[in-house]
Amino acid sequence: MSRCWQPRLTFGAVARTLPIVIYSQFRMLLSLLVVVALALVFLWGGSRVLNSVTEATPPAPSATPRPAVERPTVVPATRSTKPARGGHTRPVARPRPVHKPAAHRPPPTATPNSTPSVFVTASAPPVSPATVFPLGLQRLYCWVRNSALPQGAVSITFNWTKDQPNGFLYQFSLARQRSAYTGAYYFVPQVAGTYRCDIIVNGQPFGSAHFSRAP
């Protein structure tokens, strides 16, 4: 059998190759350390640059919105306005009424007594009308003011009546006189009681004068 030749390492060869191996391993370790150191430097420098950039321009603070204050508006209330049902309603300011001073009014003046349109007297002149006459008088006169008569009145009817007890006494017609009054007399009975003189114009009652006779 043939034997294979195997080289044998001698001490001298080992001594020559060992420094080379150690040197190559040291260079590899040194290169690895350099790479790691450079990587750390780059990482540290990049982080500093990034922080400086981000911190140099901080975001502008946003303005805080102020709460809007709404002033209440004065709204006059009307009678037709109905209150809203449900929920809380804000009170509405109502304008105050303006009090105006009362206008000065002159005191009322007394109306002067005027002669009635129909009246009775105790004498022929149409003055001093009365409502009570004594029993001793024989004649009583009844008068009507012409200016109060309706237009076109020509004839005037005098109607004498006793009120208590009620009873017709006498009636007659006269033409309208030219003076201010138209009058006629009558012999009123000598009996105490209440009487009246009615004036009729154009068939319609115009006015009455009430009087009484007392002892």
Side-chain angles (χ1 to χ4, degrees), residues 21-81:
V21 174
I22 293 174
Y23 177 72
S24 62
Q25 295 295 329
F26 177 75
R27 289 186 60 186
M28 186 178 296
L29 181 60
L30 184 61
S31 300
L32 184 60
L33 292 176
V34 170
V35 172
V36 173
L38 291 175
L40 292 176
V41 170
F42 279 112
L43 289 176
W44 178 78
S47 63
R48 289 294 302 274
V49 172
L50 183 62
N51 290 335
S52 63
V53 171
T54 56
E55 293 178 359
T57 57
S62 59
T64 304
R66 297 181 179 178
V69 179
E70 182 180 358
R71 297 181 178 178
T73 57
V74 179
V75 179
T78 59
R79 296 181 180 177
S80 60
T81 304

Side-chain angles (χ1 to χ4, degrees), residues 14 20 41 52 55 58 61 76 126 156 160 164 182 186:
V14 173
I20 298 173
V41 170
S52 63
E55 293 178 359
I156 301 171
W160 297 86
Q164 295 180 0
T182 300
Y186 177 67

Side-chain angles (χ1 to χ4, degrees), residues 144-210:
V144 57
R145 190 169 69 249
N146 292 332
S147 61
L149 294 174
Q151 294 182 357
V154 177
S155 178
I156 301 171
T157 301
F158 294 83
N159 190 14
W160 297 86
T161 305
K162 189 175 188 301
D163 288 337
Q164 295 180 0
N166 188 12
F168 171 77
L169 297 177
Y170 191 70
Q171 183 184 82
F172 54 89
S173 299
L174 292 178
R176 178 177 177 176
Q177 300 175 3
R178 298 181 179 180
S179 59
Y181 296 91
T182 300
Y185 67 90
Y186 177 67
F187 295 96
V188 181
Q190 299 291 326
V191 179
T194 57
Y195 300 82
R196 74 177 186 271
C197 174
D198 299 323
I199 301 299
I200 301 173
V201 179
N202 299 331
Q204 299 295 329
F206 174 78
S208 300
H210 296 266

